[in-house]
Each structure stands twice: as structure tokens, then as C-alpha cells.
Amino acid sequence: MVKTLTIDLGDRSYPIHIGAGLLTASGLIDRHIAGRQVLVVTNDVVAPLYLDPVMASITAPDKASLVLPDGEAFKTLDTVNRIFDALLERRYSRNATLVALGGGVIGDIVGFAAACYQRGIPFVQVPTTLLAQVDSSVGGKTGVNHPLGKNMIGAFHQPRAVIADTATLDTLPDRELRAGVAEVIKYGLIRDAEFFHWLETNLDRLLQRDPAALAFAIERSCRNKAEVVSADEREVGLRAILNFGHTFGHAIETGCGYGKFLHGEAVAVGMCQAADLSARLGLLPAEDVARIVRLIERAGLPTVPPAELDSERFLRLMAVDKKNVDGRIRLILLEEIGRAALPQAVPVELLKATLDEYGRTVV
Amino acid sequence: MVKTLTIDLGDRSYPIHIGAGLLTASGLIDRHIAGRQVLVVTNDVVAPLYLDPVMASITAPDKASLVLPDGEAFKTLDTVNRIFDALLERRYSRNATLVALGGGVIGDIVGFAAACYQRGIPFVQVPTTLLAQVDSSVGGKTGVNHPLGKNMIGAFHQPRAVIADTATLDTLPDRELRAGVAEVIKYGLIRDAEFFHWLETNLDRLLQRDPAALAFAIERSCRNKAEVVSADEREVGLRAILNFGHTFGHAIETGCGYGKFLHGEAVAVGMCQAADLSARLGLLPAEDVARIVRLIERAGLPTVPPAELDSERFLRLMAVDKKNVDGRIRLILLEEIGRAALPQAVPVELLKATLDEYGRTVV
């Protein structure tokens, strides 16, 4: 069974197809390839599992694949350049299509390559991790990291389609599943209290990979994301709430070296910190902070930052963030479970208090 | 005296200011900087001439400059990364402004960096060569070269303003002035027969840097470009005619190594070749080809390709071009002086005939 949602962006609108087995049997990837030239880009973990059947399902006459090394550490401009090399060695034209087969890193890199090759070519997202299926493959944010800042180099470039085959989650390592659950919890926190309650009740089913629970969580997450992105494609306003917990999280990822913390793990910690700060500002009741931390803990996710990041270092890292204006740190905070506020500058003393105390007093 | 034209693109509209002395005395650069953070990027030839006065004219409190090496050979992803380094070392936010002070290479690189930094920040074009003032600074095409193809990596990203100070042409080397004249002639050929006639009459005044003649040619060129870009920002159709001569020209630049031929010189040769091919196809009278070649020769520009590029090599290089579809070469041809056709596939035998014969029979 296929569920289809739509990202509504005028002439850049596109479908999100969600279902088990879509990757091979459905012909859906092929349907979203317009030209004769296709390059499928994946990584060395996903390739042995899914590359052959995906290649076989594509009917375009001039098709090729490129296998990149796996991991956030390779989400760099150099890796993007390898995709340009592959496209140019094959003399691919502006109507060639890129297919991103993998998790969030592959999707972000391939989407950015598609944004820049010949000033923009079509691409299709085929996410194979929970995190990519519920979050990063949807919405057209693409890009790579810089040693001084996460996702600092990139473009808005919408895919032609997102094809989320939930059967691929069968092969997903537990740690990556849990990292994806962090972004699922995020949707409940920022705009869907009912979903948060559902997660409190059904988390164990999710972690046990109950297909119905997974399918529901993916669809509900994508529906939330689709509504936000359709309302604010370029993050002029509302879209920034999708970054709840991410300013803290990005600082952890950059500060510890890309790849040590999975993105979802860093975001899990960041959501706890953002909740704590929301309480310090009098926005969120302390008991809600406790509920949030409890759910994240139950998901097997970290709730405190690594000891190596003291508050001074944290602050320096947070000074590099796309939401900042003229160098002032701006954060997404919670007004209640299910309602996030737009980015706001926060008193540095309170932020420092969260960074100093967090992990000792709250959890 | 300042002339102001407008690129009409809805909420991305912007002015082109043309005049002598705009770079320092007018305060125009400063007027187009919105935030508190500014990075002026230039090269080591332009910096000693104009960087200090430009920096002094900017009132933003957090301003800095970056001086890159000069030349097409440095129009690479690595150079763009140096700009990202500079922005991130200063922790510049998404509302920082980049200023591109220099010729076409600087404008293309800085524009691309602005397109990608934090998924897009504002930038201002301050072109200091004739080529950049009449062509590359206007219209939002940004990007860098790849060893296998010119301008293959890039983005459409419109500047906030173009500030063309005609006084900067006083310090422009003769060879670069002539290279700029090639693009000026192009506008006459593709859509402005009256301007072509004016150029036949007034070319010597241009080459002698008569200020009134230069001002007229720059304004007329920008007016032509503004009309085309306003009608077709993303090169869905009409805009491709601005690439007249460029498929041949890019092949020369890539084939000989970036920087050996100036871009305008390569385009000059390419326009002669495209005119020759137009005649072979029965579109353009032979006497018009002769008129075109004569004007380009009078401008001191090359009209024949380098001997090292035989027709086989030329064809392989031309197979990498953004106008191609599914690997088929498509070219802009002339129907008469002052009227270009949209891109069309051409019989390979006739293209080969142009590549084989050109330089021996026509000129």
C-alpha cells in the first residue's frame, strides 16, 4: 500500500510516496526520471543492500552509479566534487537526473550536487533511513558541512519526488533507528501535541519496528513537515521551528567532529537543552521538561551533551548558526509541548546557565 | 552622472548603476548593504587600485576584505571554499553581504559563494572590467569551472545591485578592454542591428577609450542584457541567445587550459565560427559573415581557433555544454545580423566542416 503526500510549492510541487517495497517493485523511481541520463549515488553500506535492484528498476538507457564512503565525515565539498566528476566524465546534460539512495548524508550531498551541476538538474530522493524518511529527504534543504560549521554550504533545491520504502528500515542498525526517532519526537514537540502523546504510548512499538507503528509515525512526521515547508519554503519565518534543538545539536556535531554523534543523537540532546532553556525563560513548565527528557531517554537517545564541550566552547560553536542575525544567537524555544515559538534572541546568562547546569541538575 | 537601469524580476529586481566615479564618491555600494557584516572580495590586481577606497566607503561596523589570486585558472571550487573560510572564521551570519570587486572571474566566484553560504546571502556586484560591466555582472549567473567543462558548477543568484564605475576602465589593460568589446559586439549580433552598425562606425572611439562612446556602449549592452534576463531569468528559452559564440568559446577555453585565451577572446573566435556555421546552414548571407569577421578583427580580437584544437577534439569538448540535451550538441545561430535563433541541434557534418575549414577558407 502506498500513501502519497504532496509538498505544495506551485510549479515545484512534488509527491512523497511512503510504503513497503516501493524501491524495487513499484516502478516509482523510474516514473520520476524524465531524461535519458541517470546517475544513482549511494554509499558503501547501502550499495550492497539496494543498489542492484534500484539500477535494475531504472529503464533510462544511459544509467550509471557512484558509491561514496558512508558517514557524516564525508559530507564535504570534496565529496560533492566527486559527483561532478562522475557527471562530467559521462558528459551528462542539464536534463540528466540524480538519484539519492541512502540516508540523510547522501540526500544532502546529492541534492546539493543537483542544485549546482549546470546551475540545477532534477533529482529524486530515495531515503533508506528513518531520519531521512521523516525529515531530511523532504523539503529541499541540501548542503554540506564546513569544518567550522554544520550545513554551512548549501542550497534550496526541491526534489522531483521522495520515495520512502519503509521495508528498507528492516536493515537499519538500531542506533540509526533511534536517531531517526529523535526527529519524529521533534514534530510532536514543535506542532503536534496529539502525536507526542501517541509517541508516549507507542514508543516501544516503534523501537520494536512494528510496521504499522512505523508507517504511522513516518506519515505523520512527513505530513507535519509537508505543511511547514509548503507554508514557508525558504525559511523566512515558520520553517525555522523545524530546527528545534538543532542549534545545540549542530554545535555538538561540529565540536566533537562530524560523525561521532549521529545527527539525531545530537538533536536529542539539543531538544533537552532547548526545553531546559524554555523552562528557565518561564515559557515551559518544569514538568513538561521532565516528560520530554523521559521520552528521549526511553528512546535510548542521549540527553546530556559530551563532557568535553564546556559552556564557553559551546557558546563559540553556537555563534555559527544560520538563524543568527549579525552574530546574535537566536533559538527555537517551546511554549508548550506541541507549540514552538519563532527564533528569538535569548539572554546569554540564561543560555549559559543551561549549558553549565545541564546534565547535572535537570536530568 | 549616473544612469540607472533595472533588472525586472519581481521581488528579486535590482538596479544597474553606470557612471564615472561611482565606486568611491557616490556611497552607492554602501546604500545596497543591509546588515552589519560585509566581506569585500577582490583579486591581487584590483586590490592595490581600488580596495582601500571601497573599504573606506563602507560604513558597516563589521567589515573585512579577502584578496584572491587573479585569473580564470583560479575560478574553482577551492577558491570558493576560501571565501567560505573567511566568512566562517568571522562567524558571519545569513544577513552578511558579499561585495564582488573585480572582473568576471571575481563576480562569478563571489556570486556563487553568496548563493551557497548558509543557502544564500546577499551580494553586490562592483565590476571593474568592460566584460564584467557589460555582461557577466548582470543577470545572476554565478559559478566556477571544472577541469572538464567551463562554468559547469554554479547557481542562479541575483545580486542586490550592480555598480559599474566606468572610471575603473582607465586602468584596464588593452587586451582586457578588447576582450570586453567581444561581448559588446555580441549584443549587436544577437538582437540589436542598429547597435552593430553603430559599432562599425564607432569602434575606434571605443578602443581609444572615448568616455562618451564607452558609456554609450556599456549602457546599450546592459539594456539589451536587462531585457533578455527580465524576460527569461532561468534560461528556459530566450536567454540562451546570450550564449552566442560561447559553446565554441568554452571549448577553446577548456581545451587550451583556463586563462590562456581570455573569455572574450574565445567568444570572439566562437562568434566567427557560429557565423560561418550559420552561413553553411543557409541562414546567414556570406557577406554578413565577412562583415562580422571584419569588425572582430578590427577590435584586435582573434578570429580563428588555436591550431592545437583539431575538429575531433573540438567536438568532444563541445559535447559538454549546458544547452545540450541528452548529449546532443545544440547551438545558437544567426538568422541575420541583429537576430539570433533559439538553440538548435545542427547536422554534425556541417559543424565538422566549420571546425575543419575555419581559419583557412573564410578569413
Side-chain angles (χ1 to χ4, degrees), chain B residues 246-275:
Chain B
H246 281 59
T247 303
F248 294 97
H250 288 168
I252 293 170
E253 288 181 87
T254 306
C256 297
Y258 297 121
K260 196 164 164 193
F261 268 63
L262 292 177
H263 174 65
E265 292 169 344
V267 166
V269 175
M271 292 195 295
C272 293
Q273 292 176 295

Side-chain angles (χ1 to χ4, degrees), chain A residues 113-179:
Chain A
C116 297
Y117 186 65
Q118 302 204 15
R119 298 199 187 93
I121 64 171
F123 81 114
V124 176
Q125 289 274 21
V126 186
T128 61
T129 66
L130 181 61
L131 186 130
Q133 291 185 355
V134 299
D135 189 32
S136 62
S137 70
V138 175
K141 278 195 180 178
T142 72
V144 296
N145 302 326
H146 185 282
L148 295 177
K150 168 106 177 156
N151 291 343
M152 277 292 133
I153 302 159
F156 287 98
H157 189 56
Q158 301 293 344
R160 293 300 163 101
V162 179
I163 295 156
D165 183 346
T166 52
T168 60
L169 303 184
D170 295 345
T171 54
L172 193 67
D174 245 8
R175 185 178 169 197
E176 296 220 32
L177 184 80
R178 291 166 194 276

Side-chain angles (χ1 to χ4, degrees), chain A residues 11 34 36 57 129 137 206 230 306:
Chain A
D11 60 359
R36 300 165 55 83
S57 78
T129 66
S137 70
L206 266 192
S230 296

